[in-house]
Amino acid sequence: MKKTALITGATSGIGKATSELFAKNGINLVLCGRRQERLAELKNKWQGTVKIHTLNFDVRDRASVFEAIDSIPEDLSNIDILINNAGNAHGLDPIENGNLDDWDAMLDINVKGLLYVSKAILPKMIQRKSGHIINIGSTAGKEVYPNGNVYCASKHAVDAINQGMRIDLNQYGIRVGAINPGLVETEFSEVRFKGDANRAKNVYKGFQPLRPEDIADIIFFVISRPPHVNIADLIVMPTAQASSTIVRKEL
Ligand code: NDP
Ligand code: 8X3
């Protein structure tokens, strides 16, 4: 039987690339995001290939998360694969200059949003004693870099939640693992720099960053392992990157 995946943050970057790769591989989809027009485009493109349903909600809004997930049509309501991907950085400032709204956004979206979505999906996975959860962390969840403070804290929290989920859900046979990318060229830096496209472009200048499709390939590899194999925690960087602060630029 065909599997069904729910992907948060499907409207852009890693989530969009993963949605399209899953569709190409016959995985039915529940795609989530706030930008309805992008969800509609994805639905139009792939609805002849797989079953697809879209959910338009903000992961920060606890009631909307549960309402949206409750509203999934019966034939897609057994989620086999959850990709907890929605998230972003907001700002890149020393801690003493940090913007409180940016801090709230990162903790509310990257940490609490991931928890709300997981909480809404888990009962059926537990009932069926099967499921696979992939948490998209970051190298920022493995090390802290200058001015990364709260974003790094949010991704360190994802690292801890990933470990906690794996421990607690072990008794139900649910697979849990994280993928922690380094620099991937998406809309991430545009969001971080509040729409400043030039500043965002500069982040990826002079070297070959990862493409969202590179991460989608890895996610597909992880979810297509046989049932006894769980890739628990994976770090992937561009070849030019050695750590958050060491990037060889020569292009
Ligand atoms: P993008 O900005 O391209 O995509 C972010 C996605 O998250 C969008 O689909 C956006 O959808 C969704 N999203 C953001 N805020 C919310 C919200 N409040 N409610 C619902 N959905 C939301 O960035 P990436 O693809 O790069 O980011 C995906 C994940 O990868 C994030 O968790 C990020 O932290 C992580 N990551 C990214 C790296 C990078 O270098 N790019 C490296 C390591 C990790 P919409 O706006 O439509 O709601
Ligand atoms: C995204 C990678 O280095 O910009 O999580 O924090 S980084």
Side-chain angles (χ1 to χ4, degrees):
M1 212 179 65
K2 274 190 176 180
K3 294 211 167 193
T4 300
L6 183 143
I7 302 177
T8 66
T11 56
S12 168
I14 294 169
K16 182 176 181 204
T18 304
S19 305
E20 303 213 279
L21 185 59
F22 278 17
K24 283 179 200 157
N25 283 279
I27 297 173
N28 292 325
L29 293 171
V30 179
L31 301 183
C32 311
R34 291 165 303 173
R35 284 171 287 182
Q36 177 53 37
E37 66 296 347
R38 293 196 183 191
L39 291 173
E41 265 171 40
L42 281 166
K43 187 170 179 177
N44 282 339
K45 185 166 172 190
W46 294 108
Q47 65 188 350
T49 311
V50 288
K51 282 188 195 169
I52 180 162
H53 184 72
T54 61
L55 296 175
N56 180 219
F57 63 91
D58 186 326
V59 296
R60 280 174 289 199
D61 182 338
R62 197 200 278 203
S64 299
V65 170
F66 286 89
E67 257 168 50
I69 289 171
D70 264 2
S71 75
I72 299 173
E74 182 64 31
D75 59 339
L76 291 173
S77 66
N78 282 327
I79 303 298
D80 302 292
I81 301 158
L82 166 62
I83 311 291
N84 272 325
N85 164 74
N88 274 122
H90 294 267
L92 182 68
D93 302 299
I95 194 87
E96 68 277 17
N97 297 338
N99 175 303
L100 296 186
D101 290 335
D102 285 346
W103 292 0
D104 282 348
M106 289 185 279
L107 296 172
D108 288 349
I109 299 167
N110 303 354
V111 184
K112 289 162 70 183
L114 180 150
L115 286 170
Y116 296 160
V117 172
S118 305
K119 175 85 174 160
I121 295 294
L122 274 173
K124 285 196 170 171
M125 284 190 173
I126 289 173
Q127 204 178 31
R128 292 187 296 133
K129 291 200 160 34
S130 91
H132 197 162
I133 301 175
I134 309 280
N135 295 309
I136 304 300
S138 170
T139 46
K142 300 292 185 182
E143 58 175 319
V144 177
Y145 54 82
N147 304 327
N149 44 66
V150 178
Y151 177 67
C152 295
S154 75
K155 289 297 183 177
H156 275 69
V158 172
D159 189 32
I161 291 165
N162 181 61
Q163 294 177 53
M165 275 185 180
R166 194 166 52 249
I167 292 165
D168 295 346
L169 300 176
N170 170 270
Q171 62 180 312
Y172 305 112
I174 296 171
R175 290 190 273 185
V176 179
I179 295 171
N180 303 284
L183 292 155
V184 191
E185 190 166 12
T186 62
E187 293 177 12
F188 176 87
S189 290
E190 266 190 72
V191 173
R192 168 170 253 175
F193 300 131
K194 306 185 193 309
D196 183 339
N198 282 335
R199 193 171 173 203
K201 257 205 158 79
N202 246 344
V203 173
Y204 310 106
K205 219 170 168 175
F207 72 104
Q208 173 66 62
L210 293 169
R211 299 162 302 130
E213 291 76 16
D214 297 321
I215 307 303
D217 283 344
I218 292 167
I219 294 173
F220 184 71
F221 176 81
V222 169
I223 62 101
S224 56
R225 292 311 83 211
H228 68 287
V229 178
N230 180 39
I231 296 179
D233 200 28
L234 186 154
I235 296 177
V236 51
M237 296 184 208
T239 303
Q241 181 176 16
S243 74
S244 291
T245 52
I246 300 174
V247 180
R248 181 174 43 86
K249 299 201 174 187
E250 61 180 23
L251 298 180

